[in-house]
Amino acid sequence: MKNSVLLIFATILLSNTINAQLKPVKYADGTQVLNGLSIKAAKKSSQNPGILLLPAWLGIDNASKEIAENLSKLGYTVFIADIYGEGNYPKNTTEAGKLAGHYKTNVAEYHKRINLALQELVKSGANADNIVAIGYCFGGTGVLEAARVHLNVKGVASFHGSLGKDAARAVEPITAKVLVCHGADDPYESKEEITAFQQEMRDSKADWQMIYYANAVHSFTNPEAGNDNSKGAAYNAVAAKRSFDHLQLFLNEVLKK
């Protein structure tokens, strides 16, 4: 009898646990092939919360993969977007800067690529009405754009992302909740741009928060960014942990699990 009970209990545990691992997903924007990565939530949930992850300007990297795996363990289905597409992946930061600059300038193209990835997240099992978009550096810019153009996300979290937008664009109401995690010493965001962003959040009536991390510069979440703050981009383990903790609080508030 005892062994039967243990067997039933083990079966229940196995049925609620998924062998979560990153899986390649081919999708497309017209004739352009895109190569994203999907990972199921490690445990089943009736609410199927999803996270769309927009990587930094070099594209899908080790940092974004690790974050996706960690979020999967916490019960989220995650899709890592491919913004550039097959044949267009940057080989260095110079190429990455040009590509990222193209999408920042031609922002409608960026919106489309983000939305296509969002659709893939839903196809992978996430509840279309229970999604948060998170992004790092260039991806952090992207998730703020997702909020600005009302893509179907309940919240967005930007990590060391560019905050600005074309001043000629009208400020519209933002309904998605907004979290910005920002290095206090990030040299790539001017005081003027930060002030303009915060005013935009007020004018758009957004539910927003912006958290600063001491001694942190650009790319503070990426272990491969080195540790020399004088270069403007560097890893900061304390800031990385704190920002991930803040992300979890945000997700717990915004998403149903």
Side-chain angles (χ1 to χ4, degrees):
M1 179 67 177
K2 182 179 179 181
N3 288 338
S4 297
V5 172
L6 288 174
L7 180 59
I8 292 170
F9 182 65
T11 302
I12 292 171
L13 284 177
L14 286 172
S15 67
N16 288 329
T17 303
I18 300 169
N19 182 19
Q21 57 183 345
L22 286 163
K23 296 180 180 179
V25 177
K26 277 193 179 293
Y27 60 117
D29 180 0
T31 59
Q32 175 62 63
V33 175
L34 304 168
N35 296 292
L37 290 173
S38 176
I39 186 167
K40 296 280 189 181
K43 292 184 179 180
K44 292 181 180 178
S45 163
S46 61
Q47 301 295 336
N48 296 326
I51 296 177
L52 175 63
L53 194 159
L54 305 186
W57 67 350
L58 285 170
I60 297 174
D61 55 10
N62 291 329
S64 59
K65 292 175 185 177
E66 182 178 356
I67 290 163
E69 289 169 348
N70 288 335
L71 289 169
S72 166
K73 294 173 186 176
L74 295 175
Y76 303 98
T77 292
V78 186
F79 187 83
I80 309 177
D82 176 12
I83 300 301
Y84 302 139
E86 196 169 283
N88 299 310
Y89 304 127
K91 300 180 182 65
N92 50 52
T93 56
T94 300
E95 291 185 6
K98 290 178 181 177
L99 282 166
H102 169 82
Y103 285 97
K104 288 179 181 180
T105 302
N106 300 278
V107 70
E109 294 181 29
Y110 200 9
H111 298 159
K112 185 180 182 184
R113 292 284 168 91
I114 296 169
N115 198 39
L116 287 169
L118 187 59
Q119 293 171 29
E120 293 301 320
L121 172 59
V122 175
K123 290 178 185 177
S124 68
N127 181 339
D129 297 316
N130 198 28
I131 290 172
V132 160
I134 69 174
Y136 298 80
C137 298
F138 171 52
T141 306
V143 299
L144 293 176
E145 284 299 322
R148 286 172 177 135
V149 298
H150 305 107
L151 296 188
N152 191 27
V153 294
K154 296 183 70 176
V156 301
S158 173
F159 298 80
H160 41 82
S162 177
L163 306 175
K165 69 174 184 64
D166 185 347
R169 289 169 60 189
V171 175
E172 298 182 3
I174 290 177
T175 55
K177 296 180 186 292
V178 177
L179 168 66
V180 172
C181 296
H182 189 70
D185 299 328
D186 189 331
Y188 299 115
E189 288 296 306
S190 67
K191 292 180 180 179
E192 293 77 15
E193 191 165 70
I194 291 171
T195 298
F197 168 76
Q198 293 180 351
Q199 189 59 50
E200 177 195 358
M201 291 297 100
R202 295 185 183 97
D203 293 341
S204 65
K205 308 299 182 186
D207 179 350
W208 68 286
Q209 52 189 306
M210 186 169 180
I211 303 172
Y212 291 82
Y213 301 97
N215 306 311
V217 291
H218 201 63
S219 299
F220 64 80
T221 64
N222 189 347
E224 297 180 359
N227 57 12
D228 184 354
N229 277 18
S230 69
K231 294 182 177 180
Y235 178 60
N236 183 308
V238 173
K241 181 183 182 304
R242 286 175 177 171
S243 65
F244 192 75
D245 289 344
H246 287 136
L247 173 62
Q248 291 181 73
L249 289 172
F250 184 72
L251 296 175
N252 289 338
E253 175 189 333
V254 175
L255 296 180
K256 296 177 181 178
K257 289 188 73 177

